[in-house]
C-alpha cells in the first residue's frame, strides 16, 4: 500500500495542528485576560475603564506613555 502511511501521517498532522491552534488560542486568552489591578512598573491603580478598554493591560497610563 504505497502512499497509505503518508495519508495517515497527513491526517495526524492536521490533528496536531488543530490541537496546537487550540492551545495557542487558550494561551492568547490567558495573556489578554483580566490584566493587572495595579501597574507593573509603579504599582499605581489602573482605572477599571482602562482595563476594560485594554484587556490584559499591565501598565498605568503614565508608564505606558513613557514606554511609547
Ligand atoms: Zn505605572
Amino acid at each position: 500500500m504505497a502512499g497509505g502511511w503518508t495519508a495517515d501521517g497527513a491526517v495526524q498532522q492536521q490533528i496536531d495542528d488543530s490541537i496546537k491552534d487550540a492551545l495557542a488560542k487558550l494561551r492568547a486568552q490567558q495573556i489578554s485576560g483580566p490584566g493587572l489591578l495595579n501597574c507593573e512598573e509603579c504599582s499605581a491603580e489602573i482605572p477599571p475603564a482602562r482595563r476594560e478598554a485594554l484587556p490584559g493591560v499591565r501598565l498605568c497610563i503614565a508608564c505606558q506613555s513613557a514606554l511609547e
Side-chain angles (χ1 to χ4, degrees), residues 38-46 58-64:
N38 293 87
C39 173
E40 199 170 53
E41 286 291 319
C42 68
S43 297
E45 189 188 349
I46 300 173
R58 310 181 71 83
L59 296 171
C60 71
I61 296 165
C63 291
Q64 186 71 56

Side-chain angles (χ1 to χ4, degrees), residues 4-68:
W5 186 88
T6 307
D8 288 350
V11 170
Q12 185 59 48
Q13 185 60 48
Q14 281 176 358
I15 293 170
D16 287 350
D17 284 350
S18 0
I19 292 172
K20 272 182 215 148
D21 282 355
L23 285 175
K25 273 178 200 153
L26 270 180
R27 274 194 217 106
Q29 279 167 3
Q30 281 167 357
I31 290 167
S32 66
L36 297 180
L37 293 178
N38 293 87
C39 173
E40 199 170 53
E41 286 291 319
C42 68
S43 297
E45 189 188 349
I46 300 173
R50 174 166 167 78
R51 282 187 275 124
E52 272 173 39
L54 297 165
V57 67
R58 310 181 71 83
L59 296 171
C60 71
I61 296 165
C63 291
Q64 186 71 56
S65 358
L67 275 181
E68 282 166 359

